[in-house]
Amino acid sequence: MESPELGVGSLKDALFILESGEVYRNPTEVKMSQIVLPCHANHCGELSVGQLLKWMDSTACLSAERHAGCSCITASVDDIHFEHTIGVGQVVNIIAKVNRAFTSSMEVGILVTCEDLYIGKEWKVCRAFASFVARRTETGKVQLKQVIPHTQLEQVEYSLAAERRRMRLIHVETITDLLSNCAAQLAGECQEHKDAIPAEKTRVESVELVLPPHANHQVSTFGGQIMAWMENVATIAASRLCNAHPTLRSIDMFHFRGPSHIGDRLVLKAIVNNSFKTSMEVGVCAEAYKGGEPLRHINSAFMTFEVLDGDRKPCMLPRIRPEPVDGKRRYQEALARKKIRLDRKYIITSKQTQVPLSVPWDQSNQMYLSLNNVSALKIMVAKTNWVLTSEKNKVSLYTLEENQVLCFKVEMKVNIPADQTFHLLSDLRKRMEWDRHYEKCEVVLQADEEDTIYRVASPSITKGGKGQDFIMLASRRQPCDARDPYLIAVRSVTLPTHPPTDDYTRGEVLCAGFCIWEESSSVTKITYYNQATPGVLPYISRDIVGLSSSYYCIFSACSDFLKANKTCLGAPPPPPAAP
């Protein structure tokens, strides 16, 4: 999910007035503005993406070093989608700031916009997140200081950075598993097409000598420079397929496997793995050697290109005929990556109002649905303009209305350790013991240790009416550090094995869940959040307008349930097993 926009105006309006009245500017913020000259552009008069990547990497590195106080190196870059091209004479504005620091690594958020000086307009080109690692000093490994968020936007990015980091850590293993499964399913998809272009025709190999201008102040090759060289060979490979100038649309997440230094020979290889109707995937590999040393793998990336016509619409592309063995494997894996890419774009980068309440769940989009689920809850938690609607015996009901969407939260404190509270609330089946709206609850699918899909049945609000049932994904997260809460995020999904039935009306939950804060070793603050949908609103509407206090009864029962069960906990229970 895309978090709230940094906003084009934030490039010029980076100063904030805090509640204390103090003027605040993020201390890690670094800006770069460059006018695009002909030497920066390709023959179409558009800024080379390789040059843009160099500027982005330099700006982000300076931001990371401002926070760390020492030299930093690029470790990885998340998926980048380029929304617009940039022409000669236009201005590129780049802003970078550290969202969160971990032990020795940090996430830097990057926003790129394009400004046309003649018409006075500015628009977003891309948004990216890069990870940087602080280099060891003479005294040993660097322990980074924590980032302290001051604004609501910084709090959102700080919170989401932990979730993005989790996805990066499991990305390679997850993608490998998905590719092996998807490639097996798509084994018959490698068809012969009439007039297909042999993949070998698109193969490119080029070598670059790393010279001092290509290196940073640590004599290591700029990560941005390596990315620029990779983009160059990928563009040549794509051009050989289409016999036209291709436009780079996206780069998948990639990691730098090792450093390169002055004097290295960098060998860059690219080939078109597969072409679809209006796009193609190019695989690129960068390896380094010096003298008689064996090749060292530096980086691999997958780039998606399109060819645009005079109206900036994508053109049809010729098909690829893969070479035997490795070519067929690359062809099939490119098909699988395309599906993963579509899932990612649909679930994560779309705004919440553009995504249906219930998204189909399958193994290929599990990672992104889980990220979306937790991120949506974290964004709701970071909101500050809640209005207290009612309070009874220290159980408080708050509401928030934004953009014609109603959200509510219920808050209370219990004298139970936070970890025990988390484990007791994590299994939604136990909610039947204290929430009268949970008439039935069963595990449908145990996706992994942190993600479980449940079917929940609720009684009818009206006498003689149908009850509702929900198919819900519950994603659990323990704190990344002491300043994070425990989270249990819930949203609706669809499963082909569990279609709607005549006995129940199928309800949907867009965003809900628990945020559990440890206030002391024995006191925990529990907050339940819900973005009200037509399926949820009937259960809470009377409380919101003050005609009922059923929320108090339910959460008092929750408190009693937690107190009754806290002594039953020894070691944390394993995740529930599917029947």
Side-chain angles (χ1 to χ4, degrees):
M1 167 179 288
E2 194 168 284
S3 55
E5 288 294 338
L6 290 175
V8 170
S10 64
L11 287 168
K12 299 171 181 173
D13 251 346
L15 299 179
F16 294 89
I17 306 298
L18 302 179
E19 290 182 3
S20 62
E22 179 186 357
V23 177
Y24 167 76
R25 178 174 178 172
N26 190 306
T28 70
E29 181 182 282
V30 173
K31 295 179 182 180
M32 177 186 287
S33 292
Q34 298 277 358
I35 191 163
V36 179
L37 302 174
C39 61
H40 301 137
N42 54 37
H43 62 278
C44 293
E46 296 171 350
L47 173 65
S48 160
V49 174
Q51 180 63 60
L52 177 59
L53 291 170
K54 285 200 285 187
W55 287 338
M56 291 169 64
D57 182 62
S58 297
T59 311
C61 185
L62 291 172
S63 174
E65 291 181 349
R66 178 175 285 184
H67 179 74
C70 63
S71 299
C72 297
I73 55 175
T74 313
S76 67
V77 180
D78 291 2
D79 310 321
I80 307 176
H81 177 70
F82 300 97
E83 298 179 19
H84 300 281
T85 57
I86 304 171
V88 170
Q90 294 177 329
V91 174
V92 177
N93 293 311
I94 304 172
I95 185 170
K97 57 181 78 172
V98 176
N99 291 329
R100 185 164 183 164
F102 303 97
T103 306
S104 60
S105 67
M106 68 204 94
E107 179 191 275
V108 179
I110 309 162
L111 176 68
V112 180
T113 63
C114 176
E115 181 181 1
D116 192 312
L117 300 173
Y118 300 100
I119 61 174
K121 289 188 177 179
E122 191 173 6
W123 55 91
K124 178 180 155 191
V125 174
C126 69
R127 191 150 183 241
F129 298 97
S131 296
F132 284 81
V133 176
R135 290 174 67 96
R136 286 177 176 270
T137 63
E138 294 178 357
T139 57
K141 193 173 182 180
V142 174
Q143 176 75 39
L144 293 173
K145 61 186 176 184
Q146 290 295 309
V147 171
I148 308 297
H150 286 84
T151 67
Q152 182 178 336
L153 179 58
E154 288 181 1
Q155 181 59 55
V156 169
E157 293 298 354
Y158 176 90
S159 186
L160 295 183
E163 192 62 19
R164 287 189 289 259
R165 179 174 183 259
R166 173 186 174 274
M167 191 172 74
R168 283 179 210 115
L169 294 175
I170 65 172
H171 178 263
V172 174
E173 181 181 345
T174 303
I175 292 296
T176 300
D177 289 344
L178 290 177
L179 288 179
S180 61
N181 292 332
C182 291
Q185 295 171 14
L186 297 167
E189 293 288 328
C190 193
Q191 308 169 10
E192 290 288 340
H193 294 275
K194 187 179 179 181
D195 301 325
I197 306 295
E200 275 301 305
K201 181 186 173 183
T202 70
R203 186 181 293 276
V204 180
E205 182 170 328
S206 180
V207 66
E208 298 282 354
L209 174 61
V210 181
L211 299 172
H214 303 137
N216 55 29
H217 47 290
Q218 309 146 34
V219 302
S220 297
T221 315
F222 272 118
Q225 179 63 69
I226 295 173
M227 289 187 277
W229 282 332
M230 295 174 73
E231 185 269 340
N232 178 59
V233 294
T235 300
I236 295 171
S239 299
R240 288 181 175 173
L241 175 70
C242 60
N243 296 325
H245 177 71
T247 298
L248 179 58
R249 279 302 185 206
S250 66
I251 305 175
D252 289 1
M253 180 189 292
F254 60 86
H255 301 258
F256 286 94
R257 310 289 181 104
S260 168
H261 304 285
I262 293 174
D264 277 349
R265 280 69 171 169
L266 218 61
V267 180
L268 302 128
K269 302 174 184 177
I271 191 170
V272 177
N273 292 329
N274 204 335
S275 64
F276 312 104
K277 287 184 178 180
T278 58
S279 66
M280 69 186 99
E281 180 195 275
V282 180
V284 199
C285 174
E287 298 172 312
Y289 72 94
K290 187 178 290 185
E293 295 176 357
L295 288 169
R296 310 188 310 273
H297 186 194
I298 302 297
N299 194 1
S300 292
F302 299 100
M303 304 185 183
T304 303
F305 288 84
E306 292 177 344
V307 175
L308 304 179
D309 62 19
D311 296 323
R312 310 297 293 174
K313 301 294 184 184
C315 301
M316 295 293 290
L317 297 175
R319 301 308 300 261
I320 273 286
R321 183 168 69 248
E323 58 185 342
V325 190
D326 278 350
K328 289 187 176 181
R329 174 187 57 79
R330 288 195 299 267
Y331 183 98
Q332 290 162 357
E333 289 182 351
L335 284 169
R337 275 189 296 269
K338 183 189 178 190
K339 182 185 185 311
I340 294 168
R341 225 171 268 130
L342 289 172
D343 287 338
R344 179 179 64 229
K345 183 178 178 182
Y346 179 65
I347 295 169
I348 296 179
T349 62
S350 295
K351 291 182 171 50
Q352 212 164 342
T353 54
Q354 297 171 337
V355 179
L357 300 186
S358 293
V359 176
W361 182 95
D362 63 42
Q363 187 180 15
S364 69
N365 69 8
Q366 174 190 332
M367 179 170 64
Y368 303 112
L369 266 178
S370 182
L371 170 66
N372 172 277
N373 193 16
V374 176
S375 298
L377 180 59
K378 286 187 171 184
I379 290 170
M380 199 187 304
V381 170
K383 293 183 184 297
T384 57
N385 46 342
W386 294 91
V387 176
L388 178 63
T389 300
S390 59
E391 186 174 20
K392 185 176 181 181
N393 292 348
K394 297 184 180 180
V395 179
S396 305
L397 174 65
Y398 297 81
T399 58
L400 171 66
E401 189 170 357
E402 280 185 348
N403 301 321
Q404 298 181 330
V405 175
L406 177 67
C407 303
F408 66 88
K409 71 175 183 178
V410 180
E411 197 167 86
M412 67 177 181
K413 293 183 181 180
V414 293
N415 295 318
I416 300 168
D419 58 340
Q420 293 191 17
T421 302
F422 172 70
H423 290 302
L424 284 168
L425 295 178
S426 286
D427 188 351
L428 296 193
R429 292 175 298 183
K430 293 181 179 178
R431 194 160 163 176
M432 290 187 291
E433 298 181 36
W434 57 268
D435 188 346
R436 60 184 177 82
H437 295 145
Y438 271 52
E439 191 174 60
K440 297 178 184 176
C441 183
E442 60 181 345
V443 173
V444 170
L445 179 68
Q446 184 65 52
D448 58 29
E449 291 183 358
E450 295 183 317
D451 293 317
T452 309
I453 298 178
Y454 296 88
R455 178 184 174 273
V456 176
S458 298
S460 172
I461 295 295
T462 58
K463 187 175 181 181
K466 280 187 182 181
Q468 288 194 98
D469 71 342
F470 303 80
I471 305 298
M472 297 195 295
L473 168 67
S475 302
R476 296 170 285 272
R477 297 289 188 272
Q478 298 200 39
C480 183
D481 61 37
R483 291 192 295 166
D484 284 330
Y486 293 87
L487 287 171
I488 305 164
V490 177
R491 67 153 299 147
S492 285
V493 295
T494 59
L495 286 174
T497 55
H498 288 73
T501 64
D502 294 335
D503 298 330
Y504 290 91
T505 300
R506 178 58 50 89
E508 294 182 308
V509 173
L510 180 58
C511 175
F514 291 95
C515 181
I516 300 166
W517 292 95
E518 181 180 55
E519 298 215 331
S520 70
S521 59
S522 60
V523 178
T524 299
K525 182 173 78 172
I526 303 172
T527 309
Y528 173 75
Y529 293 85
N530 200 308
Q531 183 170 326
T533 60
V536 172
L537 199 55
Y539 296 97
I540 193 71
S541 58
R542 289 175 59 82
D543 293 286
I544 291 174
V545 298
L547 298 177
S548 170
S549 58
S550 64
Y551 77 94
Y552 164 74
C553 299
I554 291 172
F555 281 87
S556 293
C558 175
S559 179
D560 294 340
F561 162 78
L562 294 172
K563 290 173 185 175
N565 286 274
K566 71 172 183 177
T567 55
C568 302
L569 284 176

